[in-house]
Amino acid sequence: MARSPQEDDVALGAQLIRNDKWLNWNILRADEWAEGTSADLLGGGAWRRFCERLGALEARIRNTALPDDAATRADGFRHVAMLVRNALDVALEDVDPQRPTIRWADRRNKFGWDCPDALYATIPVRDDAVYRLRGRRGNVHFLGLQVAAGIRTLANEHADQWDLDAAGRFELVIGGPPRMRNWMPLDAGACWIFVRQFFYDWEHERPSPLWIDRIDDGAPNSASGLLDPGFFARRLDAVATHVEASLDLWVAGACALRDRYTNAFPAEAFGGTAMGAQQHQSAGTCYYRVAPDEALLVEVPVPRAKYWSIDLCNFWLESLDYATHQSSLNGHQAAVDPDGVFRAVVAHGDPGVPNWLDPVGHDEGSMIYRWNLAEETPIPRLRLVPLASLREHLHPDTRRVTPAERARVIAARREGVRRRFARPDW
């Protein structure tokens, strides 16, 4: 029996992620699989191989099958530099599931269609341990936790399910025997928790402060404090392998979208927890291509959802500069037409409409929609139209946005992003 397009997409996704070394969690397991000895490091061989492997990545960025415009190629070199830096953070910093800390992604951490509305964090855990997560709910629109084994989702919870005290504080036990409320399991293989905070109103919502402790009787580490040369040689090998695997994955994903879904979303939303998705979120990705004299019209009935958004990314599946450009819109920021349809316009120059999605100089890239805790999962429709006749294709009530109004919107976005990543404890 022939497979459906959705089944083909799932099969392709499974093939792309088969090499799981793109997950930075594997860097923490370098002693189990990476190569390197004390002699390799102390003699300089491990370092030379590390640098040679990073240098060889240039050929992947300059691959003739990839877009060769200056913006995309420059993005590619920056993308690799970011991957290296973030992987080295994991290799060098104290990332210990015995005494975990919450690792906030409050620097550039753009890959795999990162969400412009999000503040992400990760927490390393052991599946045989018990932890207590404390925090204050605050007013961030969505706060969710995802327990995973590698890329496979094991459990999801969100703050609307938890009991809070009068001040909005909560305690959540993670692991150990089941509890009636405020508990998440750590099933076999659990190795990390992914934290998502989604902001709707960037101006007024504040991050939820969080703290985690291990509370069972597990044995603490007995580290001497001295660096084992062989250990670090294997960490260098793991970092290089992680960066290679990450770059290969995201490039293959972008090329697959370009070949299959240019200016059109797949007919079904994606929500595969086997490949890292949240249980309570559906999403769809496609490739966009728009010329300077064209406009790409995005139309979708607004879903009944806790949170929804549509965002533009570059070829490398990084979100664009959403602080100083309106390259994303969520359900709070968007203007919805009287017929209940969200209509956005991807165009290189400001078309003077509220729902402009600015591609920030990129003729091509990727696009993603997210429906979170949604009652339905509509698929956005994309249409290329001449820029000169754009107004003919919009709802007649679409108002005009002046340059001064756009400047105020951008200033507010920039301030909202600055505040979010500063994580003030207000």
Side-chain angles (χ1 to χ4, degrees):
M1 180 181 298
R3 293 190 305 196
S4 70
Q6 175 76 352
E7 289 172 329
D8 284 342
D9 293 344
V10 171
L12 176 60
Q15 178 183 344
L16 293 177
I17 64 173
R18 186 166 298 155
N19 178 7
D20 71 348
K21 297 302 186 292
W22 67 274
L23 293 164
N24 62 16
W25 167 76
N26 284 301
I27 298 172
L28 302 180
R29 300 173 49 247
D31 280 344
E32 300 175 19
W33 61 269
E35 298 181 357
T37 65
S38 295
D40 286 334
L41 184 76
L42 299 179
W47 182 257
R48 285 192 296 274
R49 287 194 300 274
F50 174 72
C51 294
E52 289 167 359
R53 291 172 70 181
L54 297 188
L57 295 175
E58 178 218 358
R60 286 173 164 91
I61 300 170
R62 293 166 55 86
N63 188 317
T64 56
L66 308 187
D68 62 356
D69 61 284
T72 299
R73 185 162 291 177
D75 284 349
F77 283 107
R78 181 181 60 185
H79 183 66
V80 169
M82 179 205 67
L83 291 174
V84 173
R85 183 201 64 187
N86 291 349
L88 284 172
D89 275 353
V90 176
L92 297 175
E93 299 300 327
D94 183 18
V95 181
D96 182 5
Q98 299 276 15
R99 301 185 183 90
T101 57
I102 298 170
R103 297 182 54 80
W104 296 98
D106 50 10
R107 300 190 300 173
R108 185 179 185 88
N109 199 49
K110 298 192 175 198
F111 62 91
W113 302 284
D114 59 290
C115 178
D117 297 309
L119 175 61
Y120 296 112
T122 54
I123 308 170
V125 294
R126 293 172 54 100
D127 61 8
D128 59 352
V130 184
Y131 305 91
R132 179 180 60 230
L133 181 72
R134 293 177 289 165
R136 189 172 65 248
R137 176 66 181 87
N139 67 342
V140 64
H141 190 70
F142 174 83
L143 167 61
L145 303 179
Q146 175 187 3
V147 177
I151 195 172
R152 182 168 51 90
T153 299
L154 299 178
N156 281 273
E157 290 274 338
H158 57 88
D160 292 350
Q161 299 171 302
W162 305 335
D163 293 334
L164 315 177
D165 69 13
R169 294 185 294 262
F170 62 85
E171 288 192 359
L172 186 72
V173 175
I174 304 174
R179 301 176 181 226
M180 291 296 295
R181 299 288 296 172
N182 287 31
W183 175 77
M184 288 187 77
L186 288 178
D187 291 337
C191 56
W192 58 278
I193 299 172
F194 198 32
V195 182
R196 291 176 175 87
Q197 300 194 41
F198 286 169
F199 296 75
Y200 243 19
D201 182 347
W202 292 10
E203 182 177 359
H204 296 107
E205 292 176 19
R206 301 292 183 265
S208 177
L210 303 173
W211 186 264
I212 193 166
D213 294 293
R214 184 170 179 177
I215 59 174
D216 64 339
D217 296 327
N221 281 356
S222 57
S224 68
L226 293 176
L227 179 63
D228 173 10
F231 167 87
F232 193 61
R234 290 184 288 276
R235 285 285 174 106
L236 289 176
D237 181 67
V239 166
T241 301
H242 163 78
V243 173
E244 291 166 347
S246 296
L247 187 59
D248 288 347
L249 171 65
W250 304 130
V251 167
C255 289
L257 284 182
R258 181 186 61 188
D259 296 344
R260 299 158 71 94
Y261 295 111
T262 292
N263 293 346
F265 280 106
E268 297 182 48
F270 172 73
T273 56
M275 294 191 287
Q278 302 178 76
Q279 288 174 344
H280 41 248
Q281 179 168 286
S282 295
T285 58
C286 75
Y287 201 82
Y288 73 83
R289 185 177 285 124
V290 59
D293 62 347
E294 296 175 323
L296 184 62
L297 186 60
V298 184
E299 301 171 295
V300 63
V302 172
R304 289 170 293 181
K306 170 75 173 181
Y307 162 93
W308 65 269
S309 66
I310 294 184
D311 321 317
L312 299 183
C313 299
N314 62 16
F315 173 83
W316 308 96
L317 313 186
E318 300 179 317
S319 64
L320 301 180
D321 179 7
Y322 53 79
T324 56
H325 297 265
Q326 187 172 282
S327 58
S328 68
L329 287 167
N330 65 40
H332 176 81
Q333 299 163 336
V336 178
D337 287 332
D339 57 0
V341 175
F342 167 75
R343 293 178 175 88
V345 176
V346 181
H348 290 284
D350 188 344
V353 300
N355 295 333
W356 176 36
L357 288 173
D358 183 356
V360 196
H362 293 79
D363 292 337
E364 57 188 290
S366 57
M367 184 185 310
I368 180 170
Y369 66 85
R370 293 175 171 90
W371 311 148
N372 187 296
L373 293 170
E375 297 182 28
E376 59 271 322
T377 56
I379 308 300
R381 177 191 177 204
L382 306 185
R383 287 191 291 146
L384 267 180
V385 301
L387 182 61
S389 60
L390 171 63
R391 286 278 168 178
E392 299 174 13
H393 302 274
L394 299 176
H395 193 279
D397 291 350
T398 302
R399 66 182 184 86
R400 295 187 181 274
V401 175
T402 66
E405 181 181 353
R406 187 76 72 197
R408 289 193 294 270
V409 168
I410 296 302
R413 289 176 70 94
R414 184 167 53 245
E415 179 64 14
V417 171
R418 187 178 73 89
R419 185 186 302 111
R420 183 198 318 169
F421 289 107
R423 292 186 287 112
D425 188 13
W426 293 348

